[in-house]
Amino acid sequence: GGTDGHKQIVLSVAVHPDGSQFATGGGDNSAKIWDMPTSQAIRSIALASDPSAVAVSPDGKKVATAGADGKARLHDADGKLL
């Protein structure tokens, strides 16, 4: 939760197009957005299942997750489900 690191293994990583941030999907049912220069988590997205994949949109304003539950979800930059 919060801006701590994942509590379980990291399953997927995607880098923001401008290289300033990266997204991770973890075995703790969360995706996290990280600041690249400091490696600090800046946002956490709670998910219904472990994300087997994460992706960042070309404009960097959306994060997509693909869950072990077979569902893909799209989130805005603040982590809200779209």
Side-chain angles (χ1 to χ4, degrees):
T3 55
D4 296 332
H6 287 286
K7 304 297 183 215
Q8 299 290 327
I9 190 169
V10 172
L11 303 168
S12 182
V13 176
V15 177
H16 188 286
D18 71 6
S20 67
Q21 298 176 349
F22 62 100
T24 57
D28 55 359
N29 290 358
S30 74
K32 294 185 183 286
I33 309 300
W34 304 79
D35 179 64
M36 185 71 81
T38 65
S39 296
Q40 294 295 310
I42 55 176
R43 189 167 305 106
S44 183
I45 303 168
L47 302 169
S49 67
D50 291 347
S52 54
V54 294
V56 179
S57 66
D59 64 5
K61 295 182 180 179
K62 296 177 187 77
V63 175
T65 60
D69 61 1
K71 295 183 180 179
R73 294 174 176 84
L74 188 62
H75 306 268
D76 68 13
D78 292 323
K80 294 181 195 168
L81 187 62
L82 299 175

